[in-house]
C-alpha cells in the first residue's frame, strides 16, 4: 500500500510538471516558427580580460524603459537575450563592477540578431570597499520573518559541529543532552536545505553532533512560518543550509582541527564548474571524546519511613564519524537546472559510564553502596539521495520546483552492564548482576514535493504545492540477564516496536503589496496517518489527523527604515518516535525514561507582532509573541515502592505563552561589532494526570551577547556570553545556567589560510541543574554533558579569497531554499 501511494505521488508530480512546462529555454512552438530575434554579446574584465560569468543583463524598451526580458552570462562571458523587433536599452550589472548602459539597440523585422560584440566592464573600487565594510557586519542578518546566521563569520563555530553552531545563534539554545530549543521551547522543526535529513538524525540530537560545521553555509531561523512551510514545529523552523559552490573552474576549502579533551577532524569542500556542468563534493572526518559527570540526591517517603539516595555519575562518550556528500548540477540553460546529490554518513560510538549509588536509612546512616558500569558500542550508517529540478519560466518570478528524496538509516547498539552491591564496610552483599542489551533500528523515508510560483502584477505572487512524506521505522530492543548459567530475556523491558507515518499536504498562499502595505494569506491542509505496533503483545495504535493550518502576514513600511509586521499561523507537533516507544533506556537501573504510545499531537495558534529598525551602523528587531497550545506534552516523573523512578511524557490540557524578544546588532566603532538577543517569556500550563494537578506558572528569561573586534586587519577576537534564568516546571524547576566562550583568528598565507583558536565554556560552568517534587519523593541533581574544551583550527582556501561579504551570484550557494 505504501509503495502504491508513493507511485501515485510521483505520477502526480510528473503530471504537474507537464501541466506547467514549456519547451526548454522558454520558447513556444510559435516562437520556433517565427525565428525569434536575439541580442548577444561577450563580457570581459577591463584589467585581466577574463570572461565575467553570471553577470545580469536586462533589456528595456527605449521609449518608456519597461523591462521586457533578461538573462545572465555563461562561463565564457557570453549572453543571448530573446526580444521582439524594436528599440531597446541594455543594462549590464555585475557585483563590484560599474553598471553599464547601452542605448539605441535597434533590431528590425528582417534582423535575426544584433551582436553587441565585446563589452568591457570596469571594477568599481568604491563599491568593492563598501561591500567589504558592510559584509563585516553581516554575521547576523535580521528581518521580520527570518533571521540568518552566517556560519563562516563566527570564530566560535569553527571546528565545531551543528549542535555547537546552533548553540551560538540568538534565540536558540542547545541543552547538555543535545535538545534544541527556540525561544525557550523544544517544539522546533530542524531541516537541512529545506527538507528533513538523515544528517540531523531521527531524534535531532546525536545527528547534529555528527554533522560537522565545515559543511554548513548558514542557518535560517523562521519563528512564525507561512502556510508554504511544513506545519511541524510549534515555535518555528531552523533550516541548516549546506555549502555548495557553483564558481567556475576548480576551487574549494580544506579544514583541519585538533583540541582537548581529545578531538580532531579533517574536512574538504570542493567544486569544479565547466560550462553547463557543476560538480560538488564534501567530506569530513571527526573524532571527539567527551567526558561528563553528574550527581543526584533523592528522598523517598513511604509507610516504612524515609530513605535517601545519593548518586554520582561519570561518563566518557567517544564519537567517530565520516560524512561524504557529492552531487552534480546540470544547467540545460539559465532557466532549467537538474541537481542530483547523495550523502553517506557512518557514525561509531564507544561509550563508558559508571554510576555509584549510596543508600541511606531514615537516620541517614549508610546501608549499602552499589556500582553500575555500562559499556556501549554503536554503529549508525546513514544514506540519502536527492533529485531536484528547477524551472524558471519566461515571466520573471514564475517558477516550478520538483524534488524527490530517499533516506535510509540503520542503527545498531550493544551494551553490557555489571552492577555490584556492597555493605558500608566493603563486604560484597551478593553476586554481581550481569546484563546485556541490543537495539537494532532501521528507518526508511521517502519525500516527494512540488512547488509552483505564479507572479501577479508587479509585486504579487501566488504559491501552491504538494508535499508527501512516508516514514517507516522498525525498532527491536532486547535486554537479557545472566541467571542460572544462561542469558534470560527480561520480558517487561524488551520490545519490538514498529512506527509507520504517512503525511500528505497541499498548500496555497497569495500575497501582494500596495504602496507601503503588504499582505499574504495562506492555507495548508495536512493529512497524517500514524500507526504504531508492539509486536510482542500485538498492540496496534492507529491514528489519523486531518487538519487545516491557516496563516496571515501583514506588513507596513514606515519612513526612516522602520518596518512593522503582524502575523498569525497555526502549527502542530506530532509525537516523535522516541516519545511513543514504551521503553528505550536501561543505563540507569534506578531511573528509567520511557515513551507513551497514547500521546496525541499538540496544536498551537501562534500570534506575533514585530518591528525592525535600521540605522547606518545598527539594527534591532523587537517581537512580541503569544502562543496558545492544546494537548501540551510534559514529562512526568513517578516513583514506585522500590524507589525506582520512571519519567515519561503525557498530554496535559493547555499552555498559554507570552514573550518579548529583542535582537540587536551594532557597530560601536569601525572594527568592533556587537550582536545578541534577550528573550523574556511567561507561560501558564494547566492539566492533570491520574487526578494529580500539574498546573504551573513560570516566568524566565535568557540572553546571549557576542562581541567581535578586528585588530591589525588580520586578527579577529570574539567573546560570547550566555545566561538562562531559572524556570518553573510542572514538577519543580530548572536552575540557572551560564557560560562564556572565547575565540581568536589570524589570516595567513596571503589571506588564503586562517588559524583559529577557541575555548568553549571558559569557566566550565555549563551544567544542567534541576529540582523535582512529586507525591512521596524529592529529587535534585546536576549533569554536565561536556566539560570545557580548547580547539585549534586551520582553514585553507583553494582559488578563493577570504569571504568578506554576502555570497555573490554563482558563488558558495548553500543548498536550496525551503520549498514547501
Amino acid at each position: 500500500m505504501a509503495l502504491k501511494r508513493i507511485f501515485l505521488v510521483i505520477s502526480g508530480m510528473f503530471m504537474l510538471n507537464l501541466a506547467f512546462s514549456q519547451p526548454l529555454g522558454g520558447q513556444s512552438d510559435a516562437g520556433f516558427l517565427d525565428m525569434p530575434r536575439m541580442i548577444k554579446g561577450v563580457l570581459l574584465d577591463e584589467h585581466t580580460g577574463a570572461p565575467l560569468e553570471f553577470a545580469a543583463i536586462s533589456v528595456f524598451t527605449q521609449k518608456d524603459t519597461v523591462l521586457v526580458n533578461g538573462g545572465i552570462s555563461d562561463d565564457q562571458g557570453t549572453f543571448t537575450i530573446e526580444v521582439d523587433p524594436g528599440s531597446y536599452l541594455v543594462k549590464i550589472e555585475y557585483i563590484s563592477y560599474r553598471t553599464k548602459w547601452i542605448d539605441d539597440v535597434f533590431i528590425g523585422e528582417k534582423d535575426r540578431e544584433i551582436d553587441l560584440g565585446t563589452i568591457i566592464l570596469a571594477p568599481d573600487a568604491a563599491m568593492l570597499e563598501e561591500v567589504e565594510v558592510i559584509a563585516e557586519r553581516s554575521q547576523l542578518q535580521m528581518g521580520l520573518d527570518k533571521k540568518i546566521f552566517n556560519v563562516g563569520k563566527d570564530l566560535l563555530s569553527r571546528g565545531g559541529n551543528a549542535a555547537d553552531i546552533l548553540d551560538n545563534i540568538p534565540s536558540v539554545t542547545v541543552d547538555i543532552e543535545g535538545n534544541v530549543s527556540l525561544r525557550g521551547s523544544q517544539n522546533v522543526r530542524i531541516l537541512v536545505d529545506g527538507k528533513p535529513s538523515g544528517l540531523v538524525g531521527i531524534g535531532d540530537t546525536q545527528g547534529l553532533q555528527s554533522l560537522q560545521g565545515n559543511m554548513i553555509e548558514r542557518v535560517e531561523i523562521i519563528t512564525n512560518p507561512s502556510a508554504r512551510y511544513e506545519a511541524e514545529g510549534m515555535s518555528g523552523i531552523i533550516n541548516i543550509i549546506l555549502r555548495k559552490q557553483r564558481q567556475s573552474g576548480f576551487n574549494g576549502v580544506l579544514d583541519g582541527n585538533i583540541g582537548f579533551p581529545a578531538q580532531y577532524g579533517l574536512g574538504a569542500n570542493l567544486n569544479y564548474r565547466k560550462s553547463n556542468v557543476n560538480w560538488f563534493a564534501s567530506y569530513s572526518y571527526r573524532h571527539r571524546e567527551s567526558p561528563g559527570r553528574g550527581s543526584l540526591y533523592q528522598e523517598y517517603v513511604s509507610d516504612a519511613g524515609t530513605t535517601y539516595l545519593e548518586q554520582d555519575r561519570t561518563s566518557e562518550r567517544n564519537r567517530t564519524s565520516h560524512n561524504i556528500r557529492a552531487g552534480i548540477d546540470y544547467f540545460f540553460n539559465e532557466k532549467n537546472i537538474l541537481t542530483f546529490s547523495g550523502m553517506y554518513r557512518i557514525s561509531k560510538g564507544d561509550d563508558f559510564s559508571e554510576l555509584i549509588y549510596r543508600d541511606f536509612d531514615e537516620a541517614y546512616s549508610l546501608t549499602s553502596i552499589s556500582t553500575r558500569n555500562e559499556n556501549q558500542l554503536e554503529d549508525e550508517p546513514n544514506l540519502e539521495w536527492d533529485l531536484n529540478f528547477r524551472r524558471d519560466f519566461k515571466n520573471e518570478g514564475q517558477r516550478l520546483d520538483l524534488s524527490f528524496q530517499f533516506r535510509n538509516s540503520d542503527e545498531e547498539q550493544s551494551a553490557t552492564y555489571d552492577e555490584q552491591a556492597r555493605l558500608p564496610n566493603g563486604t560484597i552483599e551478593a553476586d554481581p548482576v550481569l546484563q546485556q542489551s541490543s537495539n537494532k533500528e532501521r528507518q526508511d523515508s521517502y519525500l516527494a514535493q512540488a512547488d509552483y510560483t505564479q507572479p501577479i502584477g508587479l509585486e504579487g505572487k501566488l504559491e501552491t504545492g504538494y508535499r508527501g512524506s512516508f516514514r517507516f521505522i522498525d525498532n527491536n530492543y532486547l535486554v537479557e540477564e545472566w541467571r542460572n548459567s544462561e542469558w534470560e530475556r527480561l520480558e517487561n523491558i524488551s520490545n519490538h516496536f514498529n512506527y509507520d507515518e504517512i503525511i500528505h499536504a497541499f498548500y496555497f498562499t497569495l500575497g501582494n503589496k500596495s504602496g507601503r502595505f503588504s499582505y499574504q494569506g495562506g492555507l495548508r491542509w495536512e493529512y497524517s496517518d500514524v500507526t504504531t505496533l508492539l509486536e510482542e503483545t500485538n498492540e496496534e495504535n492507529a491514528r489519523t489527523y486531518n487538519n487545516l493550518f491557516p496563516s496571515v502576514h501583514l506588513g507596513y513600511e514606515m519612513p526612516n527604515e522602520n518596518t512593522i509586521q503582524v502575523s498569525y499561523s497555526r502549527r502542530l507537533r506530532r509525537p516523535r518516535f522516541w516519545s511513543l516507544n514504551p521503553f528505550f533506556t536501561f543505563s540507569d537501573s534506578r531511573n528509567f525514561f520511557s515513551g507513551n504510545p497514547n500521546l496525541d499531537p499538540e496544536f498551537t495558534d501562534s500570534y506575533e507582532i514585530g518591528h525592525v529598525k535600521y540605522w547606518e551602523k545598527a539594527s534591532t528587531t523587537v517581537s512580541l509573541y503569544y502562543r496558545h497550545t492544546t494537548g501540551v506534552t510534559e514529562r512526568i516523573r513517578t516513583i514506585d515502592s522500590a524507589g525506582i523512578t520512571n519519567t515519561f511524557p503525557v498530554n496535559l490540557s493547555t499552555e498559554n505563552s507570552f514573550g518579548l524578544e529583542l535582537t540587536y546588532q551594532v557597530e560601536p566603532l569601525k572594527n568592533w561589532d556587537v550582536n545578541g538577543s534577550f528573550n523574556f517569556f511567561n507561560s501558564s500550563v494547566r492539566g492533570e494526570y491520574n487526578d494529580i494537578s500539574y498546573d504551573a506558572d513560570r516566568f524566565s528569561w535568557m540572553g546571549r551577547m557576542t562581541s567581535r573586534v578586528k585588530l591589525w586587519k588580520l586578527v579577529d577576537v570574539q567573546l560570547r556570553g550566555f545566561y538562562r534564568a531559572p524556570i518553573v516546571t510542572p514538577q519543580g524547576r530548572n536552575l540557572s545556567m551560564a557560560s562564556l566562550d572565547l575565540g581568536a583568528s589570524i589570516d595567513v598565507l596571503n589571506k588564503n589560510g586562517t588559524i583559529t583558536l577557541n575555548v568553549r565554556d571558559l569557566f566550565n560552568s555549563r551544567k544542567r541543574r534541576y529540582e523535582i517534587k512529586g507525591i512521596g519523593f524529592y529529587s535534585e541533581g546536576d549533569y554536565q554533558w561536556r566539560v570545557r574544551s580548547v580547539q585549534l583550527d586551520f582553514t585553507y582556501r583553494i582559488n578563493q579569497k577570504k569571504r568578506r561579504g554576502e555570497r555573490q551570484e554563482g558563488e558558495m550557494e548553500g543548498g536550496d531554499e525551503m520549498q514547501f
Side-chain angles (χ1 to χ4, degrees):
M1 180 62 70
L3 292 176
K4 180 179 178 181
R5 291 176 179 174
I6 295 169
F7 173 77
L8 291 175
V9 170
I10 298 174
S11 300
M13 292 175 60
F14 177 73
M15 295 302 294
L16 184 60
N17 185 27
L18 291 179
F20 288 116
S21 63
Q22 302 174 23
L24 296 182
Q27 298 173 336
S28 65
D29 293 339
F32 280 104
L33 294 175
D34 293 340
M35 296 288 291
R37 284 77 175 169
M38 300 290 180
I39 298 175
K40 68 179 185 179
V42 179
L43 305 178
L44 301 179
D45 181 274
E46 180 183 51
H47 300 300
T48 66
L52 299 177
E53 183 184 11
F54 288 108
I57 299 94
S58 304
V59 179
F60 301 85
T61 58
Q62 181 77 37
K63 181 179 179 181
D64 48 14
T65 62
V66 175
L67 178 66
V68 296
N69 206 349
I72 59 175
S73 57
D74 63 17
D75 61 330
Q76 300 301 316
T78 62
F79 64 88
T80 303
I81 309 295
E82 178 186 339
V83 296
D84 294 327
S87 296
Y88 298 101
L89 289 168
V90 178
K91 181 182 181 182
I92 302 170
E93 297 174 288
Y94 193 65
I95 191 167
S96 74
Y97 282 72
R98 296 173 187 166
T99 299
K100 192 176 189 70
W101 288 87
I102 303 175
D103 294 335
D104 297 320
V105 178
F106 177 77
I107 185 165
E109 292 285 350
K110 297 182 179 181
D111 297 323
R112 294 304 176 198
E113 66 180 28
I114 293 295
D115 190 349
L116 301 179
T118 300
I119 303 169
I120 303 299
L121 296 187
D124 189 332
M127 184 179 293
L128 279 171
E129 181 178 356
E130 180 182 355
V131 167
E132 181 165 340
V133 170
I134 292 175
E136 287 301 318
R137 302 200 299 263
S138 63
Q139 175 183 325
L140 176 65
Q141 297 172 258
M142 294 186 291
L144 283 171
D145 60 341
K146 181 189 297 185
K147 296 181 182 67
I148 299 175
F149 184 81
N150 294 306
V151 173
K153 292 190 165 295
D154 186 56
L155 306 184
L156 300 173
S157 296
R158 294 178 187 171
N161 54 43
D164 297 325
I165 289 172
L166 292 182
D167 201 32
N168 290 331
I169 298 176
S171 306
V172 180
T173 57
V174 182
D175 67 19
I176 53 93
E177 296 175 348
N179 299 304
V180 179
S181 298
L182 177 59
R183 288 179 170 174
S185 172
Q186 293 185 13
N187 301 331
V188 59
R189 181 63 160 165
I190 301 176
L191 305 173
V192 176
D193 286 339
K195 307 180 187 71
S197 175
L199 283 171
V200 295
I202 296 175
D204 297 343
T205 52
Q206 290 190 11
L208 287 172
Q209 296 164 13
S210 298
L211 175 57
Q212 298 313 302
N214 69 324
M215 299 178 67
I216 299 174
E217 169 76 9
R218 65 186 186 275
V219 179
E220 300 174 341
I221 308 297
I222 304 176
T223 54
N224 208 14
S226 72
R228 176 185 178 95
Y229 300 101
E230 182 183 1
E232 180 78 26
M234 294 191 301
S235 62
I237 293 173
I238 296 176
N239 186 32
I240 298 172
I241 303 294
L242 300 181
R243 293 180 183 269
K244 187 177 69 174
Q245 307 173 22
R246 286 178 177 167
Q247 186 173 320
S248 295
F250 176 75
N251 55 87
V253 177
L254 305 178
D255 183 82
N257 57 76
I258 188 170
F260 178 83
Q263 52 183 303
Y264 41 87
L266 295 170
N269 284 276
L270 304 175
N271 171 83
Y272 179 72
R273 171 76 184 271
K274 181 67 175 177
S275 186
N276 60 340
V277 178
N278 179 64
W279 300 89
F280 57 92
S282 62
Y283 167 77
S284 68
Y285 164 77
R286 179 76 168 179
H287 177 81
R288 171 180 282 190
E289 298 178 8
S290 302
R293 56 195 176 211
S295 64
L296 170 71
Y297 167 79
Q298 184 168 285
E299 300 174 0
Y300 172 55
V301 180
S302 66
D303 294 338
T306 302
T307 58
Y308 304 89
L309 169 68
E310 293 180 1
Q311 177 179 312
D312 292 311
R313 180 189 185 100
T314 57
S315 63
E316 180 73 44
R317 301 172 62 253
N318 300 323
R319 288 286 184 271
T320 302
S321 63
H322 299 264
N323 286 279
I324 302 173
R325 182 173 180 261
I328 179 174
D329 297 310
Y330 183 78
F331 297 78
F332 295 98
N333 50 43
E334 71 273 11
K335 293 183 179 297
N336 296 272
I337 305 174
L338 181 68
T339 300
F340 177 71
S341 63
M343 181 278 297
Y344 179 74
R345 184 187 73 199
I346 179 68
S347 176
K348 295 182 179 294
D350 185 356
D351 303 339
F352 170 79
S353 67
E354 180 183 64
L355 285 166
I356 300 176
Y357 307 98
R358 297 180 181 87
D359 295 291
F360 298 84
D361 61 17
E362 192 167 16
Y364 217 88
S365 298
L366 184 64
T367 58
S368 69
I369 302 175
S370 300
T371 302
R372 182 177 177 85
N373 295 316
E374 176 191 10
N375 288 276
Q376 177 177 283
L377 298 176
E378 180 180 349
D379 192 351
E380 184 180 1
N382 289 267
L383 179 66
E384 184 174 305
W385 298 105
D386 282 277
L387 180 65
N388 300 278
F389 176 71
R390 171 177 169 178
R391 172 69 189 277
D392 289 305
F393 293 83
K394 184 176 180 180
N395 295 330
E396 183 72 21
Q398 186 181 7
R399 175 173 165 178
L400 175 68
D401 290 272
L402 302 175
S403 64
F404 179 78
Q405 180 191 80
F406 168 74
R407 290 180 286 140
N408 168 262
S409 173
D410 287 293
E411 181 178 359
E412 185 168 348
Q413 296 177 337
S414 61
T416 60
Y417 312 88
D418 65 87
E419 184 169 344
Q420 180 67 71
R422 289 180 170 84
L423 296 174
N425 60 11
T427 303
I428 295 177
E429 280 192 83
D431 293 335
V433 177
L434 303 178
Q435 297 165 328
Q436 63 181 18
S437 68
S438 68
N439 185 40
K440 297 181 179 180
E441 179 177 294
R442 178 182 177 88
Q443 176 181 200
D444 290 309
S445 299
Y446 306 84
L447 175 65
Q449 62 188 53
D451 300 275
Y452 175 72
T453 302
Q454 174 66 51
I456 300 175
L458 293 177
E459 298 189 67
K461 64 179 179 179
L462 170 70
E463 299 173 304
T464 185
Y466 164 80
R467 182 182 189 274
S469 64
F470 312 84
R471 188 156 65 120
F472 310 100
I473 304 177
D474 181 88
N475 180 269
N476 194 350
Y477 188 61
L478 173 66
V479 180
E480 299 175 307
E481 185 171 315
W482 185 256
R483 297 173 180 171
N484 303 319
S485 302
E486 63 179 0
W487 289 106
E488 294 184 9
R489 175 187 173 99
L490 300 183
E491 298 293 342
N492 61 326
I493 298 178
S494 303
N495 73 82
H496 191 175
F497 187 66
N498 289 326
Y499 176 90
D500 294 344
E501 176 190 272
I502 298 174
I503 301 172
H504 298 281
F506 289 93
Y507 76 88
F508 80 89
T509 66
L510 177 64
N512 212 331
K513 185 176 182 181
S514 177
R516 295 179 178 271
F517 179 72
S518 61
Y519 61 89
Q520 183 197 75
L523 184 66
R524 186 181 187 90
W525 170 79
E526 288 193 358
Y527 171 81
S528 306
D529 184 352
V530 179
T531 302
T532 61
L533 174 65
L534 284 169
E535 293 197 0
E536 303 295 326
T537 59
N538 201 32
E539 294 179 52
E540 182 177 276
N541 193 336
R543 302 192 178 197
T544 59
Y545 317 115
N546 196 17
N547 305 106
L548 294 175
F549 300 94
S551 68
V552 178
H553 290 72
L554 305 174
Y556 185 76
E557 297 177 1
M558 297 182 292
N560 301 320
E561 300 292 327
N562 285 274
T563 304
I564 191 168
Q565 185 184 78
V566 179
S567 61
Y568 162 78
S569 68
R570 181 168 171 80
R571 306 192 59 76
L572 90 159
R573 183 197 190 195
R574 298 180 186 89
R576 296 181 179 179
F577 165 73
W578 287 116
S579 297
L580 296 172
N581 195 345
F583 189 88
F584 60 86
T585 181
F586 191 62
S587 59
D588 187 344
S589 62
R590 305 279 187 101
N591 300 281
F592 293 100
F593 292 84
S594 64
N596 178 1
N598 296 312
L599 278 183
D600 291 321
E602 303 175 50
F603 292 91
T604 294
D605 292 287
S606 178
Y607 304 82
E608 185 168 339
I609 180 170
H611 172 254
V612 175
K613 169 64 177 175
Y614 296 98
W615 293 271
E616 181 180 357
K617 294 185 177 182
S619 59
T620 61
T621 301
V622 180
S623 299
L624 181 66
Y625 59 91
Y626 166 71
R627 295 192 295 256
H628 174 73
T629 303
T630 58
V632 62
T633 300
E634 291 282 356
R635 288 196 168 271
I636 303 299
R637 176 172 292 190
T638 61
I639 192 166
D640 64 17
S641 58
I644 306 299
T645 68
N646 184 23
T647 304
F648 55 93
V650 299
N651 290 114
L652 298 180
S653 181
T654 62
E655 179 180 22
N656 290 289
S657 301
F658 300 85
L660 176 66
E661 181 184 58
L662 168 66
T663 306
Y664 62 91
Q665 183 162 329
V666 61
E667 186 183 9
L669 299 174
K670 181 179 179 180
N671 294 314
W672 182 20
D673 179 82
V674 179
N675 69 71
S677 66
F678 291 94
N679 185 27
F680 304 85
F681 57 93
N682 175 273
S683 68
S684 176
V685 178
R686 295 291 180 266
E688 62 179 37
Y689 177 75
N690 286 346
D691 298 326
I692 300 174
S693 174
Y694 291 96
D695 293 353
D697 294 298
R698 49 197 179 193
F699 169 80
S700 188
W701 66 276
M702 63 182 65
R704 177 185 280 109
M705 185 174 72
T706 300
S707 177
R708 179 174 175 175
V709 179
K710 177 175 284 296
L711 306 172
W712 310 297
K713 293 186 178 181
L714 295 177
V715 178
D716 287 339
V717 178
Q718 183 171 313
L719 186 71
R720 174 178 290 123
F722 167 77
Y723 176 78
R724 189 191 70 195
I727 182 172
V728 174
T729 66
Q731 284 188 288
R733 64 175 185 153
N734 293 323
L735 304 183
S736 63
M737 179 188 296
S739 64
L740 187 69
D741 302 330
L742 176 65
S745 72
I746 183 171
D747 293 335
V748 296
L749 303 177
N750 195 28
K751 293 189 177 182
N752 289 313
T754 302
I755 298 174
T756 305
L757 177 67
N758 60 56
V759 182
R760 295 190 179 95
D761 196 7
L762 185 63
F763 298 111
N764 209 29
S765 58
R766 192 171 178 82
K767 302 176 183 179
R768 180 195 175 200
R769 300 178 300 143
Y770 61 90
E771 297 175 352
I772 299 177
K773 299 178 182 179
I775 296 179
F777 75 95
Y778 167 80
S779 300
E780 63 180 45
D782 64 80
Y783 190 69
Q784 186 173 22
W785 189 263
R786 188 174 65 231
V787 299
R788 176 179 49 236
S789 64
V790 181
Q791 187 163 281
L792 182 68
D793 178 88
F794 174 70
T795 300
Y796 183 76
R797 293 167 285 276
I798 303 172
N799 292 331
Q800 294 182 9
K801 288 298 182 182
K802 185 176 182 182
R803 300 178 59 226
R804 291 293 184 188
E806 296 304 298
R807 58 180 177 88
Q808 299 181 14
E809 186 70 30
E811 292 184 359
M812 295 298 293
E813 293 199 1
D816 299 322
E817 296 291 334
M818 281 184 282
Q819 302 296 330
F820 285 86

